Amino acid sequence: MSLKKAYEQYFKIGTSVSKWNMEWPQATRELQKHYNSITGENGMKPMFVLDMQENVEHPEKYNINPALNFDSIRSFLKFSSENGLGLRGHTLVWHNQTPLWFFKENYSLDEKAPWADKETMLARMEGYIRGVLTFVEKECPGVIYAWDVVNEAMEENEEDGWRKKSPWYQTVGEDFVAYAFRFARKYAGPGVKLFYNDYNTFLPKKREDICNLILKPLLKEGVIDGIGMQGHLILNDSDLKEFEKSVLAFGELGLEVQVTELDIHCNSPEEEAMKQLADTYAKLFGILVDAKKNGKANVTSVTFWGMKDDESWLTGFRKEKSYPLLFGEKYQEKAAYEAVMRVVQ
């Protein structure tokens, strides 16, 4: 039985994919077998959509309505449509992987150039969101079922929670999040769900800040549907009790809960480490299934960040070999896969 079949009565099972995954026949077969949702690992982020040459060379033309290039997004839409996969849009507004020139007066490439003013940046934000959302609905209506509208606006090390070094915060202020969701709701297609996405959502203070500063105000306006818990965990160093508290806290708000970027860093392929990894995945999926089954939280999707261990970003990020996923480098099923399947079997 496949992952998606085992969990079909609970939630979607997804994975991140790169442009290379979409070109490899074996990867496509694995995607069709195990998943009913994908997320573009990189190709739908602003740096791949903003047309640098057009904007920088013709700032007077595109100053409040940036020029966009949809080639990368189009490839994900086409692949998803042809293979019957739902697509999570990731991401519209993010401080990272959005080029610095986008925030500068006249799209200047000079890092010391002044920031564009708030009015200009809000116009650029709306222009970007309008352009992307109207394109995807025209190109492949209904393929994208959810968008991460804003990614990582909160910082656990800041006293008041906001990531103050973000160019969005620098140019617009903390209300950039609310504006982004208003624009996304205005232009999103019918039935498309809008999510706020962040990492370390299981940390108590960050959970509280996200609830009070982002989720509750957006719920009051009626412009948000869900919370994305990224789920980058570390074996033996992540508190699943706090993870469960966050799932339940977000669920109590009436929001959809999606785990959007799941992996568990494990630096050893030895049997004992693989058993610990399997046990941790089993506990995590047990939490999610229990929450869904018993009405504690409306968990609607779980997305792994990578298809197999040797493709994981964690090896580079952690600067040591990582074995964080359910499948090995030849797509072989690991003990973690068997453990996740046993949760519902």
Side-chain angles (χ1 to χ4, degrees):
M1 183 182 291
S2 68
L3 285 167
K4 68 179 182 182
K5 182 68 174 176
Y7 280 87
E8 64 181 349
Q9 64 178 308
Y10 297 106
F11 37 74
K12 292 180 185 294
I13 297 291
T15 184
S16 65
V17 298
S18 67
K19 66 177 182 178
W20 311 116
N21 295 137
M22 297 187 293
E23 296 173 358
W24 293 337
Q26 185 177 3
T28 299
R29 289 194 295 271
E30 294 296 320
L31 285 166
Q32 291 173 331
K33 177 181 179 180
H34 285 295
Y35 308 100
N36 44 26
S37 172
I38 61 171
T39 302
E41 184 177 26
N42 272 312
M44 295 177 71
K45 294 171 181 174
M47 68 179 292
F48 296 99
V49 181
L50 288 164
D51 191 323
M52 175 178 170
Q53 183 173 348
E54 280 296 300
N55 288 305
V56 171
E57 291 184 2
H58 307 286
E60 69 289 342
K61 181 177 180 180
Y62 299 110
N63 187 47
I64 60 172
N65 191 23
L68 308 178
N69 185 319
F70 297 115
D71 289 348
S72 182
I73 291 182
R74 184 179 283 111
S75 65
F76 285 100
L77 290 171
K78 183 175 185 290
F79 182 83
S80 299
S81 179
E82 291 177 348
N83 290 280
L85 297 162
L87 179 60
R88 292 192 84 259
H90 178 75
T91 178
L92 293 171
V93 174
W94 190 25
H95 65 277
N96 198 7
Q97 290 190 266
T98 302
L100 189 62
W101 56 259
F102 181 68
F103 300 94
K104 296 295 187 174
E105 287 186 357
N106 299 314
Y107 296 127
S108 174
L109 296 177
D110 182 356
E111 292 185 7
K112 297 181 180 180
W115 296 115
D117 60 37
K118 180 174 182 176
E119 182 180 7
T120 298
M121 286 312 304
L122 287 176
R124 290 178 184 176
M125 177 194 285
E126 182 171 11
Y128 181 83
I129 292 174
R130 179 180 60 244
V132 172
L133 295 190
T134 54
F135 169 78
V136 299
E137 284 304 309
K138 182 179 179 181
E139 184 83 0
C140 282
V143 170
I144 293 182
Y145 69 93
W147 272 101
D148 291 328
V149 177
V150 176
N151 197 46
E152 300 175 0
M154 307 303 289
E155 173 61 73
E156 58 261 30
N157 297 321
E158 293 284 356
E159 184 177 349
D160 64 358
W162 293 102
R163 184 185 295 274
K164 292 187 173 62
K165 293 182 180 180
S166 163
W168 281 114
Y169 188 97
Q170 294 283 320
T171 56
V172 177
E174 64 187 49
D175 54 348
F176 83 87
V177 175
Y179 277 106
F181 275 88
R182 292 166 191 156
F183 296 145
R185 181 62 80 202
K186 181 178 179 181
Y187 298 110
V192 177
K193 302 296 180 70
L194 306 181
F195 281 74
Y196 173 73
N197 192 55
D198 215 327
Y199 66 94
N200 286 355
T201 52
F202 53 85
L203 296 178
K205 181 183 181 301
K206 191 165 188 178
R207 173 175 64 229
E208 183 178 348
D209 287 340
I210 289 172
C211 284
N212 293 331
L213 298 177
I214 292 182
L215 302 182
K216 290 179 181 179
L218 294 177
L219 275 166
K220 190 174 182 180
E221 286 195 44
V223 293
I224 189 172
D225 298 295
I227 170 73
M229 302 176 63
Q230 289 186 11
H232 297 298
L233 307 177
I234 301 174
L235 190 65
N236 300 324
D237 194 30
S238 295
D239 192 337
L240 290 186
K241 290 182 179 179
E242 290 298 333
F243 182 92
E244 182 174 22
K245 287 180 182 178
S246 291
V247 171
L248 300 182
F250 299 143
E252 286 177 3
L253 294 177
L255 290 164
E256 288 189 24
V257 178
Q258 295 187 353
V259 181
T260 55
E261 304 178 25
L262 180 58
D263 49 30
I264 303 174
H265 176 53
C266 174
N267 63 2
S268 171
E270 299 302 320
E271 183 177 354
E272 181 58 31
M274 290 296 97
K275 182 180 183 302
Q276 292 177 359
L277 183 70
D279 290 344
T280 303
Y281 267 116
K283 290 175 183 176
L284 188 148
F285 270 81
I287 289 169
L288 298 172
V289 168
D290 175 71
K292 179 74 172 191
K293 185 164 60 175
N294 295 303
K296 301 175 185 177
N298 184 21
V299 182
T300 56
S301 177
V302 176
T303 297
F304 294 92
W305 207 243
M307 295 181 66
K308 54 194 182 84
D309 285 345
D310 61 312
E311 296 176 354
S312 174
W313 72 295
L314 284 172
T315 292
F317 181 73
R318 295 289 176 185
K319 294 182 172 49
E320 61 178 354
K321 183 67 176 174
S322 188
Y323 307 85
L325 299 167
L326 304 191
F327 299 95
E329 63 182 32
K330 296 182 179 180
Y331 297 104
Q332 71 270 26
E333 299 165 359
K334 296 166 53 179
Y337 168 84
E338 297 169 359
V340 167
M341 294 294 281
R342 283 196 298 270
V343 171
V344 288
Q345 290 177 342

